[in-house]
Amino acid sequence: MIGKLLIANRGEIAVRIIRTCTELGIASVAVHSDPDAAARHVRLADEAVALGGVSPGESYLDIDKIISAAKQTGAEAVHPGYGFLAENADFAQAVQDAGLIWVGPPPKAIDVMGEKVAARAVAQRADVPGVPGSGGAIESADQVTEFGAEYGYPVAIKASYGGGGRGMRVVADASHAAASFDAARTEATAAFGRGDVYLERYLSHARHVEVQVFADQYGNAVWLGDRDCSVQRRHQKLVEEAPAPGLSDALRRAMGEASVRLAKEVDYVGAGTVEYLVEAADDRFYFLEMNTRIQVEHPVTEATLGVDLIAEQLRVASGEPLSFRGSGIEPRGHAIEVRINAENVADGLFLPSPGPLGTVSAPDRAGVRWDSGYDSGDEVAPHYDSMVGKLIAWAPTRTHAIARMRRALDELTITGVPTTAPAAQAVLAQDDFAAAAINTNWLERDIDLAALLPSAGSTPSVGEDADTSDDEPAARDEVWVGDRRYVIPFFGASQVVSGAADTTIAQASPRRAGGAGSRRKGKRASAAGSGQVTSPMQGTVTDVNVAQGQAVSVGEILMIVEAMKMQNPIRAAIDGVVSSLAAKVGDVVASGDELAVIAPAADD
């Protein structure tokens, strides 16, 4: 067994791995950036190494620094967790080249399955059903319309080198092909460094079901049950559960066996997850992608199978054979996981809301588990993702698990920053969820989540200059989300949102966050359509698309403000000319800071 493990990650997953190391008698080594010097994973580890820097590119994404830290501390192995470098084949190879044990699949498997077009080819060889798609990357919008004419609409344009909804656009008809193609390539380039995109037939009523697989170094591979992750907003999971409800035994077995064939096709080793789009009524499933790492939602599988998947990863990496005797272990009961992120869900916008935490208190009841990277008094930094923790509830039946989770959410206390807990409560209260009548578009298409959540006007911001006046009615302005226009209340006196967040998740930029730059606090506008453009959140300006004196139109992207791995396009709310530009690339801006001013067009 491994004697000392370096964990190349932070937050919840780093804490999770440290816990298992403690149980197995493995010494743990944490690494950290400057903002994470006093983080929970650092406090819990046996040793810690400062990587330096603020941005992920200076710390958690710096391969040389992490390898050096492993050698410096005498660590024998490296566990990447999820996110950051977890699915980076170059990192896996560098770990092995340094004479260290890589707790993950072979670099070649990571490389092949990480490139979506190549992964589709592997799935085809392994006789795993796939959604109709392009044979490879496409080069023009004409190919989108040709594909749509052959297979029908809607069509999904997807990034070849990414996932999580980044670089993805759904094309409803031929008239939207050109704009969607350009937008997908632009976003894919910004998020993954490559703009390659491919096409798939978009299944608008399918469920998102994934299968947990595990393989050892001796050619043994098994599947360990399935999970449903259909409750999503902007292609990001909000609620997950195991086993996936409402599937026939034949469908479960077919997906499991297909997943094992896929794993064996690439000589897989370790934990992996094969994701599918499922049309349960017809017992049909289609390969989506394979994640070559431990999943965020792995605790629901652990809860229903009574296993520790991190411990199994460490045993397999140490050269031990699988401890599972076969595939398709019968699940015990039902488990649900809710992701609790530091985001303001008012009006259904899910705006990143970093800041210092007050009280963090998890429910103490049977069948409930709280996995978190934070304690009371810690700070959720704006430089990384927004997850505070994961709440997991297990019970003998799904109905009981839903009820137990709803009570657990009522008892979960997190102060200091707003969280996604109210959105989870709203989801769990829906009759459709209780009946498992859900799909990947259910939450955004069929549920008016904004109407079920507090309005921004009734939820004062947690930042400075929040307007707490009860005497003055909230002003309103335009916000563009997912290419749709909303009119919402202001968050407070300092938060004039003239054009704001399409909060599409993207990889954190490796660019160092620069100084605050020249900026000034925004002043409250008195009417909708103000030309004042301010930041709706704390973050870093990663792109500026306009110049002073440039004419702009309503909805045009002015700049990108990145916060907690979310890229938020700031859009013009009026037609006019950019009369002043206060932000530049690299500026760290606070909520309410002025970014630009647009002088209204003469005929306005």
Side-chain angles (χ1 to χ4, degrees):
M1 176 63 76
I2 295 166
K4 180 181 283 191
L5 177 74
L6 182 140
I7 301 150
N9 218 299
R10 66 177 301 279
E12 176 274 325
I13 188 58
V15 171
R16 166 73 185 85
I17 296 167
I18 290 168
R19 294 296 196 197
T20 291
C21 284
T22 301
E23 291 192 3
L24 297 178
I26 298 172
S28 58
V29 179
V31 293
H32 65 86
S33 63
D34 290 344
D36 277 344
R40 189 179 187 216
H41 74 283
V42 175
R43 300 195 299 267
L44 292 177
D46 296 307
E47 297 179 60
V49 177
L51 299 175
V54 174
S55 72
E58 298 171 306
S59 52
Y60 301 107
L61 293 175
D62 192 314
I63 293 175
D64 291 339
K65 285 184 179 180
I66 293 172
I67 297 295
S68 177
K71 291 181 175 179
Q72 171 188 330
T73 58
E76 301 166 43
V78 174
H79 194 307
Y82 55 72
F84 291 129
L85 294 169
E87 293 180 281
N88 187 307
D90 291 338
F91 180 48
Q93 190 63 59
V95 169
Q96 294 181 346
D97 290 345
L100 304 170
I101 297 171
W102 168 250
V103 185
K108 184 178 179 181
I110 297 174
D111 187 45
V112 171
M113 300 314 293
E115 201 283 290
K116 306 308 180 192
V117 175
R120 285 172 56 90
V122 171
Q124 189 172 17
R125 291 199 305 270
D127 194 26
V128 179
V131 179
S134 58
I138 62 169
E139 301 296 331
S140 70
D142 288 342
Q143 290 174 273
V144 179
T145 56
E146 290 169 4
F147 185 88
E150 181 175 357
Y151 294 102
Y153 289 95
V155 172
I157 305 175
K158 294 186 173 184
S160 297
Y161 294 90
R166 292 158 291 180
M168 177 178 171
R169 291 293 185 276
V170 177
V171 185
D173 54 52
S175 67
H176 294 87
S180 297
F181 174 75
D182 290 341
R185 283 173 61 100
T186 299
E187 187 176 318
T189 301
F192 310 114
R194 295 189 60 167
D196 304 49
V197 295
Y198 69 100
L199 302 175
E200 279 186 353
R201 178 74 170 87
Y202 186 69
L203 304 177
S204 59
H205 288 80
R207 289 167 57 184
H208 185 147
V209 178
E210 58 189 32
V211 175
Q212 178 71 61
V213 294
F214 233 110
D216 62 22
Q217 300 175 27
Y218 308 103
N220 303 308
V222 298
W223 59 275
L224 300 174
D226 47 63
R227 302 181 284 257
D228 191 296
C229 309
S230 299
V231 179
Q232 304 176 8
R233 68 326 190 261
R234 295 189 295 275
H235 310 292
Q236 296 298 309
K237 301 167 186 175
L238 184 65
V239 177
E240 301 110 346
E241 56 183 313
L247 304 188
S248 69
D249 291 341
L251 180 56
R252 292 186 200 279
R253 185 169 57 255
M255 284 195 299
E257 292 172 351
S259 301
V260 169
R261 290 197 303 272
L262 186 67
K264 289 185 174 181
E265 185 69 27
V266 291
D267 298 322
Y268 201 82
V269 174
T273 298
V274 185
E275 301 192 347
Y276 298 102
L277 291 175
V278 174
E279 295 178 320
D282 299 322
D283 266 11
R284 292 180 180 175
F285 64 98
Y286 306 95
F287 173 73
L288 186 59
E289 64 181 337
M290 183 177 193
N291 292 310
T292 53
R293 54 169 167 78
I294 197 72
Q295 288 281 91
V296 176
E297 56 270 24
H298 75 272
V300 292
T301 295
E302 293 183 325
T304 53
L305 298 186
V307 300
D308 183 334
L309 294 178
I310 301 295
E312 190 72 10
Q313 280 187 297
L314 297 174
R315 294 189 189 101
V316 167
S318 298
E320 297 182 20
L322 284 177
S323 62
F324 306 111
R325 298 191 178 187
S327 292
I329 301 172
E330 187 69 25
R332 169 182 163 270
H334 199 89
I336 297 173
E337 174 182 292
V338 168
R339 302 188 189 194
I340 305 297
N341 291 354
E343 297 174 21
N344 190 335
V345 300
D347 289 324
L349 291 178
F350 293 88
L351 294 174
S353 300
L357 292 163
T359 299
V360 178
S361 177
D364 181 15
R365 60 167 57 243
V368 175
R369 165 177 163 182
W370 171 243
D371 285 11
S372 178
Y374 297 91
D375 287 321
S376 298
D378 288 344
E379 182 167 0
V380 181
H383 319 289
Y384 317 114
D385 68 48
S386 61
M387 184 182 290
V388 177
K390 303 180 308 196
L391 192 62
I392 302 100
W394 174 92
T397 67
R398 184 173 185 266
T399 300
H400 190 174
I402 293 172
R404 179 169 284 174
M405 176 60 83
R406 295 185 66 182
R407 287 193 293 270
L409 283 167
D410 283 339
E411 295 169 1
L412 177 68
T413 300
I414 298 176
T415 64
V417 299
T419 75
T420 53
Q425 279 284 33
V427 167
L428 295 173
Q430 299 304 305
D431 291 341
D432 282 351
F433 184 82
I438 54 179
N439 54 64
T440 56
N441 291 310
W442 168 74
L443 185 58
E444 292 183 313
R445 181 180 57 202
D446 301 336
I447 302 298
D448 186 359
L449 192 57
L452 300 174
L453 297 171
S455 69
S458 64
T459 308
S461 83
V462 188
E464 62 175 331
D465 297 331
D467 183 6
T468 57
S469 170
D470 293 327
D471 301 322
E472 183 179 0
R476 305 179 70 84
D477 212 333
E478 297 175 336
V479 169
W480 289 79
V481 180
D483 295 326
R484 289 176 291 180
R485 175 181 172 276
Y486 294 84
V487 178
I488 67 168
F490 283 102
F491 290 97
S494 71
Q495 291 177 288
V496 184
V497 187
S498 296
D502 170 356
T503 47
T504 302
I505 300 294
Q507 291 287 348
S509 170
R511 181 185 295 114
R512 182 185 179 100
S518 172
R519 63 179 191 267
R520 56 188 180 275
K521 284 291 176 183
K523 297 178 181 179
R524 189 165 190 162
S526 60
S530 165
Q532 189 177 47
V533 181
T534 63
S535 179
M537 65 202 69
Q538 179 178 339
T540 301
V541 178
T542 60
D543 197 10
V544 176
N545 300 325
V546 295
Q548 189 167 335
Q550 180 177 332
V552 295
S553 302
V554 171
E556 185 173 343
I557 295 176
L558 307 175
M559 61 191 69
I560 304 292
V561 174
E562 185 174 276
M564 305 173 84
K565 294 173 69 175
M566 290 186 177
Q567 286 198 336
N568 305 280
I570 307 300
R571 300 175 184 269
I574 62 172
D575 294 336
V577 175
V578 178
S579 60
S580 69
L581 193 60
K584 63 181 183 299
V585 172
D587 281 357
V588 177
V589 296
S591 175
D593 279 2
E594 184 178 282
L595 303 175
V597 174
I598 302 173
D603 58 350
D604 282 359

